[in-house]
Short mmCIF file of all heavy atoms in Angstrom, two decimals:
data_model
loop_
_atom_site.label_atom_id
_atom_site.label_comp_id
_atom_site.label_asym_id
_atom_site.label_seq_id
_atom_site.Cartn_x
_atom_site.Cartn_y
_atom_site.Cartn_z
N ASN U 96 -12.82 -23.64 28.34
CA ASN U 96 -12.45 -23.64 26.92
C ASN U 96 -11.79 -22.35 26.44
O ASN U 96 -11.54 -22.21 25.25
CB ASN U 96 -13.65 -23.98 26.04
CG ASN U 96 -14.76 -22.95 26.10
OD1 ASN U 96 -14.58 -21.85 26.61
ND2 ASN U 96 -15.92 -23.32 25.60
N VAL U 97 -11.51 -21.43 27.32
CA VAL U 97 -10.94 -20.15 26.89
C VAL U 97 -9.58 -20.33 26.23
O VAL U 97 -9.27 -19.66 25.24
CB VAL U 97 -10.89 -19.13 28.05
CG1 VAL U 97 -9.88 -19.52 29.10
CG2 VAL U 97 -10.60 -17.74 27.52
N SER U 98 -8.77 -21.26 26.73
CA SER U 98 -7.45 -21.44 26.12
C SER U 98 -7.57 -22.03 24.72
O SER U 98 -6.83 -21.64 23.81
CB SER U 98 -6.56 -22.32 27.00
OG SER U 98 -7.15 -23.58 27.18
N TYR U 99 -8.51 -22.96 24.52
CA TYR U 99 -8.71 -23.54 23.20
C TYR U 99 -9.19 -22.49 22.20
O TYR U 99 -8.69 -22.40 21.09
CB TYR U 99 -9.74 -24.68 23.23
CG TYR U 99 -9.35 -25.83 24.12
CD1 TYR U 99 -10.07 -26.11 25.27
CD2 TYR U 99 -8.26 -26.63 23.80
CE1 TYR U 99 -9.72 -27.16 26.08
CE2 TYR U 99 -7.91 -27.69 24.61
CZ TYR U 99 -8.64 -27.96 25.75
OH TYR U 99 -8.28 -29.00 26.54
N LEU U 100 -10.16 -21.70 22.64
CA LEU U 100 -10.72 -20.69 21.74
C LEU U 100 -9.73 -19.56 21.48
O LEU U 100 -9.66 -19.04 20.36
CB LEU U 100 -12.03 -20.14 22.30
CG LEU U 100 -13.18 -21.14 22.31
CD1 LEU U 100 -14.40 -20.53 22.97
CD2 LEU U 100 -13.50 -21.62 20.91
N ALA U 101 -8.94 -19.18 22.48
CA ALA U 101 -7.92 -18.15 22.26
C ALA U 101 -6.89 -18.64 21.25
O ALA U 101 -6.48 -17.89 20.35
CB ALA U 101 -7.24 -17.78 23.58
N ALA U 102 -6.49 -19.90 21.38
CA ALA U 102 -5.54 -20.47 20.42
C ALA U 102 -6.15 -20.51 19.02
O ALA U 102 -5.48 -20.20 18.03
CB ALA U 102 -5.13 -21.88 20.85
N LEU U 103 -7.43 -20.86 18.92
CA LEU U 103 -8.11 -20.88 17.62
C LEU U 103 -8.18 -19.48 17.02
O LEU U 103 -7.91 -19.30 15.83
CB LEU U 103 -9.51 -21.47 17.77
CG LEU U 103 -10.33 -21.57 16.50
CD1 LEU U 103 -9.70 -22.56 15.53
CD2 LEU U 103 -11.76 -21.99 16.82
N PHE U 104 -8.54 -18.48 17.82
CA PHE U 104 -8.61 -17.10 17.33
C PHE U 104 -7.24 -16.63 16.83
O PHE U 104 -7.13 -16.05 15.76
CB PHE U 104 -9.09 -16.16 18.45
CG PHE U 104 -10.57 -15.94 18.49
CD1 PHE U 104 -11.44 -17.01 18.59
CD2 PHE U 104 -11.09 -14.67 18.44
CE1 PHE U 104 -12.81 -16.81 18.65
CE2 PHE U 104 -12.45 -14.46 18.51
CZ PHE U 104 -13.31 -15.53 18.61
N TRP U 105 -6.20 -16.88 17.62
CA TRP U 105 -4.85 -16.43 17.23
C TRP U 105 -4.35 -17.19 16.01
O TRP U 105 -3.67 -16.62 15.16
CB TRP U 105 -3.88 -16.54 18.40
CG TRP U 105 -4.05 -15.40 19.34
CD1 TRP U 105 -4.69 -15.40 20.54
CD2 TRP U 105 -3.62 -14.06 19.13
NE1 TRP U 105 -4.68 -14.14 21.08
CE2 TRP U 105 -4.02 -13.30 20.25
CE3 TRP U 105 -2.93 -13.40 18.11
CZ2 TRP U 105 -3.76 -11.94 20.37
CZ3 TRP U 105 -2.66 -12.05 18.23
CH2 TRP U 105 -3.08 -11.34 19.36
N MET U 106 -4.69 -18.47 15.92
CA MET U 106 -4.27 -19.24 14.75
C MET U 106 -4.95 -18.69 13.49
O MET U 106 -4.30 -18.48 12.47
CB MET U 106 -4.63 -20.72 14.92
CG MET U 106 -4.19 -21.58 13.74
SD MET U 106 -4.72 -23.28 13.88
CE MET U 106 -6.47 -23.11 13.60
N ALA U 107 -6.25 -18.42 13.59
CA ALA U 107 -6.96 -17.87 12.43
C ALA U 107 -6.40 -16.50 12.05
O ALA U 107 -6.23 -16.20 10.87
CB ALA U 107 -8.46 -17.77 12.75
N ARG U 108 -6.10 -15.69 13.04
CA ARG U 108 -5.54 -14.37 12.76
C ARG U 108 -4.17 -14.47 12.09
O ARG U 108 -3.87 -13.74 11.14
CB ARG U 108 -5.43 -13.59 14.07
CG ARG U 108 -5.03 -12.17 13.90
CD ARG U 108 -5.08 -11.47 15.22
NE ARG U 108 -4.70 -10.08 15.03
CZ ARG U 108 -4.84 -9.16 15.94
NH1 ARG U 108 -5.35 -9.45 17.10
NH2 ARG U 108 -4.47 -7.93 15.70
N ASN U 109 -3.33 -15.38 12.57
CA ASN U 109 -2.01 -15.55 11.98
C ASN U 109 -2.06 -16.17 10.59
O ASN U 109 -1.26 -15.81 9.73
CB ASN U 109 -1.12 -16.38 12.91
CG ASN U 109 -0.72 -15.62 14.15
OD1 ASN U 109 -0.65 -14.39 14.14
ND2 ASN U 109 -0.49 -16.32 15.23
N ILE U 110 -3.01 -17.08 10.37
CA ILE U 110 -3.19 -17.62 9.02
C ILE U 110 -3.62 -16.52 8.07
O ILE U 110 -3.15 -16.44 6.93
CB ILE U 110 -4.20 -18.79 9.02
CG1 ILE U 110 -3.57 -20.02 9.67
CG2 ILE U 110 -4.67 -19.12 7.61
CD1 ILE U 110 -4.54 -21.17 9.91
#
Side-chain angles (χ1 to χ4, degrees):
N96 65 13
V97 69
S98 60
Y99 299 113
L100 292 176
L103 180 66
F104 268 56
W105 281 102
M106 182 184 71
R108 187 175 181 169
N109 289 333
I110 287 172

